[in-house]
Amino acid sequence: MTRTVLESLLAGNARHVESLAADHFDGVREAQSPAVVSVSCSDSRVPADAAWSADRAGELFTSVNVGNQVWTEVDGRLVVNDAVGYAVSALRTTDVVVLGHTGCGAVTAAYATVAGGSVGDLPPAVEAAVSRLVPLAEEARELGVFDADTPGGEAVNRLVEYAVVRQVEYLTENDEVPESTDCWGFVYDFQRVYGDADGAAYLVAANGESDSEALADVVPDGFEERVRSIR
């Protein structure tokens, strides 16, 4: 007999409970002070915590949404999303990470919209999320990040990177984010677009800077290969 989804969930949680040391939540049972807030995509292939091997309680504050967006819309204007806003204001988080990924479905939908394709009927909230990415796709096309001759998959991945870079710029320039906050942009690669290492995160932006040579000076020794651009 096939196990039900509920049984699978409960069995998975039981394994989780068994894996935790007795002192796992010591020091953070009543409060948290994570150094980093990471914004990643809801895509099932992108592990929000595991991408950074963040396995200690209270280590990483996470925002997971369609298209790894650091913003949302309130009263007709873009604002920093709730998770990032809470992290940098109430939790005094010092670093924000934007983690895009190759083959992103939300970016693909934004690209299709701009390229004249059809994305079909989307639930209202999903349509709203994609619509916030469409202006980035339009910008990218105007700047030559992709054009009509660029193969679809390649165009999407270039746009993924562009969207990460622009969101890091948005955070860096936004008054809601303290000037002392470091903002990093990465692309998580499971399509082997940037290299052959499955699951590697490549730095594409830092505090508004996206030039690869400048970023190479930022990363610690030994991680130079994690600075790449496909734009």
Side-chain angles (χ1 to χ4, degrees), residues 22-202:
D23 61 353
H24 182 74
F25 288 104
D26 287 1
V28 295
R29 292 185 189 276
E30 305 301 327
Q32 59 173 323
S33 55
V36 181
V37 52
S38 178
V39 184
S40 57
C41 188
S42 303
D43 194 293
S44 62
R45 297 164 293 184
V46 183
D49 296 329
W52 311 113
S53 291
D55 52 10
R56 289 186 290 116
E59 182 177 9
L60 184 71
F61 198 77
T62 56
S63 173
V64 180
N65 61 64
V66 172
N68 48 268
Q69 298 186 54
V70 301
W71 48 44
T72 190
E73 190 170 328
V74 175
D75 296 330
R77 67 187 184 95
L78 283 184
V79 296
V80 173
N81 81 10
D82 50 352
V84 175
Y86 180 73
V88 299
S89 61
L91 302 179
R92 308 302 180 191
T93 298
T94 59
D95 292 69
V96 182
V97 169
V98 184
L99 182 63
H101 69 91
T102 51
C104 180
V107 172
T108 299
Y111 163 74
T113 299
V114 170
S118 174
V119 297
D121 293 330
L122 298 174
V126 178
E127 185 175 356
V130 170
S131 71
R132 292 193 291 271
L133 296 173
V134 169
L136 297 183
E138 293 172 337
E139 287 178 9
R141 182 177 60 181
E142 291 173 4
L143 292 171
V145 174
F146 65 88
D147 58 30
D149 295 326
T150 309
E154 181 180 342
V156 166
N157 285 325
R158 290 185 188 180
L159 185 52
V160 164
E161 182 178 319
Y162 181 79
V164 169
V165 169
R166 290 290 287 115
Q167 289 190 82
V168 170
E169 291 174 352
Y170 172 83
L171 291 171
T172 303
E173 298 166 0
N174 197 292
D175 291 339
E176 297 177 68
V177 180
E179 289 186 12
S180 59
T181 306
D182 282 322
C183 301
W184 312 98
F186 292 87
V187 175
Y188 182 85
D189 187 11
F190 53 74
Q191 293 185 334
R192 300 183 179 178
V193 172
Y194 290 80
D196 294 331
D198 285 336
Y202 293 90

Side-chain angles (χ1 to χ4, degrees), residues 218-229:
V218 173
V219 296
D221 291 343
F223 290 96
E224 292 84 0
E225 65 178 20
R226 293 299 180 83
V227 175
R228 296 190 186 175
S229 174

